[in-house]
């Protein structure tokens, strides 16, 4: 391994190419190779015209590059002395499997650096002007995956009892179970709920409604992944748009 | 109000001046007035030499500008036709009281825009190379405040039952109660725990230990606010530094 070899695990942010950090930008500008996810806005690659771009898409349910293969590629490129950026949608460490890549790099003694990015769940709330925490409404926010590795149900009762805003990643395939699970665990069917598709992109769509009504609306509106589901009183503060007015 | 008046509610990120977004940078570059929190790195103000800087520090327990006064100031400056940036540490909508400022602007019909920032809790984890979510260890992460408005205890049992990583903001004054509350609610006293002080700043300090031992260590090490407390199995993945080795 040469002295210059290094892997940057970089968060690209939620989609809007201006929602990337200066630090991430600098890493892109010095990259020789960039391994990039499907969910990353291709506009960001304008910052690294000098780099070889390797797409390693990993969309749920679609053909994708296995994680262990990506891990090995990162190690192999570093062994060739390359400066590598692993560019991931959102934040590498929030449902990004960045931890697995980091452990592979550690095991191979490859120098690396983690550069966090804006995670899509919190950015989806900001884009809809929903403060995830708000005095008098809650004490916090829980970010969970709606797509558990082993298919086991999430701890609905505990999630309800925390009284935090719930932000669900990768939950669109399981939206009916999520809605039912939370209601059966005691959450009000009228709890405000929103789904934000393609957050912070020009094609962002959002629907604001109730926990009970959302599965039907998501179906009729054909809301699709990538999308974020947000459940909690704070959703009442969402900005009012034509799109959301139709359903309120 | 003139056509140009606008207020940007901007997240400055966790401390490292390179962990700000391009969008936030652009807002700073066009600001005429910047209302800035104590927790914001003053180095960021180099991006807005043209602007008038108004410090409105709000540190827990110290003298600070009341929130309603800040709200009124934002509205008044916009009424003068100013382009205003309200620069807040971390993210305006994650324990940042940005929601309150936004509602004041809405009520006064002031044009505004929310620009999210990296929240300090997740950035503290990234800086210590701790993935807040990791396959096989958890399904999510909960961000909570350790300093509740009314002094009421947090729902410890529910927080434990979610089996998420817990990231506590503004918790240093209540670290003994937090540790005790979680253990009495059934969390293992040996659960990995870390405290990260001044995250992503040159003076960052971190201690990695167990939930049970942390209050004593924080006391002997004189760890102080601003600091983030992280509790969960993922803390075992923290990078090993001289500082943390002393306590492991």
């Amino acid at each position: 391994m040469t002295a210059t070899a290094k892997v940057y695990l970089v968060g690209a942010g939620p989609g809007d190419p201006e929602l990337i950090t200066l630090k991430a930008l600098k890493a892109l500008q010095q990259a020789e190779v960039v391994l990039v996810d499907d969910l990353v806005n291709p506009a960001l690659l304008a910052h690294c015209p000098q780099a070889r771009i390797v797409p390693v898409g990993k969309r749920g349910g679609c053909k994708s590059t296995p994680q262990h293969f990506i891990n090995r590629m990162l190690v192999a490129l570093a062994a060739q002395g390359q400066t590598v950026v692993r560019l991931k949608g959102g934040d590498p460490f929030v449902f990004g499997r960045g931890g697995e890549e980091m452990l592979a790099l550690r095991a191979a003694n490859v120098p690396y650096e983690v550069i966090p990015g804006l995670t899509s769940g919190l950015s989806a709330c900001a884009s809809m002007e929903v403060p995830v925490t708000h005095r008098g409404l809650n004490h916090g926010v829980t970010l969970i995956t709606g797509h558990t590795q082993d298919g086991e149900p999430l701890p609905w009762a505990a999630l309800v009892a925390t009284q935090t805003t719930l932000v669900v990643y990768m939950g669109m395939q399981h939206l009916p179970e999520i809605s039912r699970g939370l209601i059966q665990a005691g959450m009000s069917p009228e709890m405000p709920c929103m789904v934000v598709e393609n957050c912070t992109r020009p094609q962002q769509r959002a629907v604001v409604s109730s926990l009970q009504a959302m599965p039907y609306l998501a179906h009729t509106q054909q809301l699709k992944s990538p999308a974020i589901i947000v459940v909690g009183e704070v959703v009442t503060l969402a900005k009012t748009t034509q799109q959301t007015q139709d359903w309120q």
Side-chain angles (χ1 to χ4, degrees), chain A:
Chain A
M1 199 163 308
T2 73
T4 58
K6 187 167 179 181
V7 176
Y8 294 86
L9 300 175
V10 177
D16 179 339
E18 290 195 342
L19 289 179
I20 192 169
T21 66
L22 295 186
K23 196 165 231 171
L25 197 64
K26 284 191 179 175
L28 280 175
Q29 285 166 346
Q30 60 181 283
E32 291 171 290
V33 190
V34 178
L35 271 67
V36 61
D37 275 348
D38 272 347
L39 290 178
V40 170
N41 192 331
L44 288 171
L45 302 177
H47 295 299
C48 52
Q50 79 290 351
R52 181 158 66 92
I53 307 299
V54 182
V56 289
K58 292 178 8 62
R59 277 285 186 92
C62 301
K63 190 160 172 282
S64 67
T65 313
Q67 185 63 53
H68 64 86
F69 185 80
I70 296 173
N71 297 353
R72 281 207 297 267
M73 205 187 313
L74 291 172
V75 172
L77 288 165
Q80 293 165 20
Q82 305 271 294
T83 301
V84 185
V85 164
R86 173 72 176 105
L87 191 62
K88 301 170 85 76
D91 183 280
F93 277 178
V94 183
F95 307 116
R97 303 189 71 173
E100 296 168 56
E101 295 173 6
M102 179 182 74
L103 293 180
L105 296 169
R106 273 190 196 170
N109 266 320
V110 172
Y112 65 87
E113 184 176 339
V114 180
I115 302 180
L118 283 177
T119 183
S120 51
L122 298 179
S123 306
C125 293
S127 75
M128 288 298 289
E129 302 182 356
V130 169
V132 291
T133 71
H134 194 74
R135 288 207 167 195
L137 291 186
N138 62 36
H139 297 312
V141 54
T142 302
L143 316 180
I144 49 166
T145 172
H147 185 78
T148 58
Q149 198 175 358
D150 36 21
E152 68 177 299
L154 287 162
W156 302 120
L159 291 169
V160 173
T162 62
Q163 298 186 50
T164 58
T165 303
L166 299 183
V167 177
V168 187
Y169 291 62
M170 297 166 283
M172 291 309 283
Q173 281 190 324
H174 300 284
L175 184 51
E177 295 96 304
I178 291 166
S179 170
R180 198 182 320 122
L182 289 171
I183 291 169
Q184 287 178 350
M187 189 176 272
S188 166
E190 301 307 317
M191 181 63 81
C193 176
M194 70 177 179
V195 169
V196 186
E197 182 190 270
N198 283 308
C199 83
T200 80
R201 301 249 196 164
Q203 69 270 36
Q204 172 170 322
R205 291 198 302 159
V207 170
V208 178
S209 181
S210 69
L211 180 60
Q212 185 166 47
M214 191 55 84
Y216 173 74
L217 293 176
H219 178 71
T220 56
Q221 291 286 295
Q222 300 191 287
L223 291 172
K224 292 202 178 69
S225 299
I228 295 288
I229 305 161
V230 184
V231 185
E233 294 287 354
V234 288
V235 172
T236 56
L237 302 177
K239 68 179 174 187
T240 310
T241 64
Q242 190 56 47
Q243 176 104 33
T244 62
Q245 271 180 331
D246 293 340
W247 302 105
Q248 277 176 330

